[in-house]
């Protein structure tokens, strides 16, 4: 292996841990995983989807979440990256993350959370993770609301993710965005419902979304959500430098040199998709 490839492989960071395992995830310079080729799947497995190609903007994020048991595909080895994200999908992704990593955060269960009873409308995983999310105030869904929200728009997804971050980190991420509004440039923010605009600005500030036009009314795809979630984990949830207002000094730096001379790679160094 030549030195350039060694450098790429070393520029990784640990962002997910469990009781017995430390999992390394691609961060600054993603290592291209072995997905299906452009035409035919090389080898099918739960982490190697036949419809996720190397050219897909969200391929690395999908692979990363799948390898860590957070995102799952379908029995035919597809992931459906362009398929609309349902509320059920989002609950499963987020719920699995909490299930695997909840002990990293100061989560307090509610005394009387909304509990969704077993019924014929939802599969067992949807019920399980909906109730986990409700139990820790990460959502507050009723069975009726879960039924009425089949697909999530991008603005609704922004609101869900920001609340998820705030609850896990015991913070108000929007405060960071408000202090740095000059660094947030979204051409179509006014197209979003007013109730979602702060959440969208917060995602932009945290570099969870990295586009100039957010397209708030469009439906979120499963692939887009995978990228949103990986960036939320890397930039905030598992970022050791996200501490109080100090993080504002790091977020927009490509490389920040710490007092001890070590280099901290900020979100500005992450690839766009």
């Amino acid at each position: 292996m030549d030195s350039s490839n060694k450098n790429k492989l070393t520029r990784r960071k640990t962002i997910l841990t469990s009781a017995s395992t430390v999992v390394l995830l691609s961060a600054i310079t993603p290592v291209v995983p072995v997905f299906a080729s452009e035409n035919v799947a090389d080898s099918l497995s739960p982490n190697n989807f036949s419809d996720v190609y190397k050219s897909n903007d969200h391929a690395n994020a999908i692979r990363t979440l799948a390898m860590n048991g957070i995102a799952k595909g379908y029995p035919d080895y597809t992931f459906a990256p362009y398929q609309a994200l349902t509320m059920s999908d989002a609950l499963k992704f987020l719920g699995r993350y909490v299930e695997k990593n909840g002990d990293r955060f100061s989560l307090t269960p509610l005394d009387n959370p909304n509990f969704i009873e077993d019924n014929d409308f939802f599969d067992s995983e949807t019920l399980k993770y909906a109730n986990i999310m409700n139990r820790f105030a990460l959502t507050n869904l009723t069975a009726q609301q879960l039924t009425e929200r089949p697909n999530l728009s991008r603005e609704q997804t922004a609101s869900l993710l920001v609340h998820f971050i705030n609850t896990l980190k015991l913070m108000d991420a929007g405060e960071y965005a408000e202090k740095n509004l000059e660094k947030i440039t979204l051409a179509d923010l006014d197209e979003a419902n007013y109730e979602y605009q702060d959440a969208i600005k917060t995602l932009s500030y945290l570099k969870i979304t990295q586009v100039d036009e957010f397209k708030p009314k469009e439906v979120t795809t499963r692939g887009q959500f995978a990228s949103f979630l990986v960036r939320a984990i890397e930039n905030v949830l598992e970022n050791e430098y996200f501490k109080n207002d100090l993080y504002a000094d790091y977020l927009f730096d490509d490389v920040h040199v710490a007092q001890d001379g070590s280099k901290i790679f900020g979100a500005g160094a992450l690839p766009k998709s």
Side-chain angles (χ1 to χ4, degrees):
M1 181 182 296
D2 61 33
S3 59
S4 63
N5 286 336
K6 286 182 179 178
N7 289 336
K8 289 181 180 179
L9 289 173
T10 56
R11 295 174 67 186
R12 298 162 66 90
K13 67 181 179 182
T14 303
I15 67 168
L16 290 178
T17 62
S18 64
S20 60
T21 307
V22 175
V23 184
L24 295 179
L25 299 183
S26 257
I28 306 305
T29 304
V31 178
V32 178
V34 181
F35 289 101
S37 67
E38 292 303 323
N39 299 306
V40 182
D42 298 324
S43 61
L44 297 179
S45 73
N47 298 332
N48 190 20
F49 304 112
S50 63
D51 58 347
V52 179
Y53 305 129
K54 295 177 183 178
S55 59
N56 187 297
D57 289 342
H58 309 291
N60 279 344
I62 293 168
R63 174 76 167 191
T64 294
L65 294 181
M67 289 178 65
N68 289 279
I70 296 170
K72 295 183 180 180
Y74 297 99
D76 62 354
Y77 297 109
T78 62
F79 182 80
Y82 300 107
Q83 181 173 295
L85 178 80
T86 65
M87 177 60 83
S88 174
D89 289 331
L91 291 174
K92 290 174 184 176
F93 283 33
L94 299 177
R96 291 186 195 112
Y97 177 79
V98 172
E99 184 177 48
K100 293 175 180 295
N101 300 279
D103 57 354
R104 298 173 60 91
F105 306 98
S106 300
L107 288 173
T108 303
L110 298 177
D111 292 332
N112 295 294
N114 281 337
F115 182 80
I116 302 177
E117 300 285 349
D118 192 5
N119 58 65
D120 295 332
F121 292 102
F122 312 115
D123 62 89
S124 60
E125 272 205 317
T126 297
L127 286 171
K128 172 184 176 180
Y129 292 117
N131 285 318
I132 286 177
M133 296 283 284
N134 278 354
R135 183 186 180 199
F136 294 106
L138 295 161
T139 53
N140 187 32
L141 292 170
T142 63
Q144 182 176 352
Q145 289 172 327
L146 188 54
T147 305
E148 292 173 348
R149 300 180 186 179
N151 299 330
L152 290 179
S153 66
R154 286 170 62 86
E155 61 183 5
Q156 290 171 328
T157 301
S159 179
L160 177 65
L161 281 173
V162 169
H163 178 70
F164 185 73
I165 290 168
N166 286 341
T167 305
L168 288 182
K169 296 290 284 188
L170 300 177
M171 60 179 286
D172 182 356
E175 290 184 2
Y176 292 91
E178 286 298 319
K179 293 177 183 178
N180 294 274
L181 289 178
E182 74 280 359
K183 296 177 180 177
I184 301 171
T185 56
L186 291 169
D188 57 351
L189 182 63
D190 289 341
E191 295 178 17
N193 287 4
Y194 181 76
E195 64 187 290
Y196 297 125
Q197 289 184 13
D198 284 346
I200 294 170
K201 288 186 289 186
T202 302
L203 285 196
S204 179
Y205 171 71
L206 296 175
K207 297 293 185 181
I208 294 172
T209 180
Q210 301 175 348
V211 295
D212 296 324
E213 293 185 1
F214 188 72
K215 301 180 180 178
K217 299 300 182 183
E218 290 190 4
V219 173
T220 306
T221 67
R222 283 167 55 87
Q224 289 170 350
F225 190 75
S227 288
F228 286 154
L229 182 52
V230 166
R231 293 191 194 115
I233 293 168
E234 292 182 340
N235 296 3
V236 187
L237 295 175
E238 302 286 346
N239 190 322
E240 62 181 299
Y241 300 107
F242 199 106
K243 297 175 182 177
N244 303 320
D245 291 334
L246 291 176
Y247 189 60
D249 296 332
Y250 301 125
L251 188 59
F252 288 93
D253 292 341
D254 289 338
V255 179
H256 174 81
V257 180
Q259 289 184 349
D260 62 1
S262 61
K263 291 183 177 180
I264 300 166
F265 294 95
L270 295 173
K272 291 186 177 182
S273 63

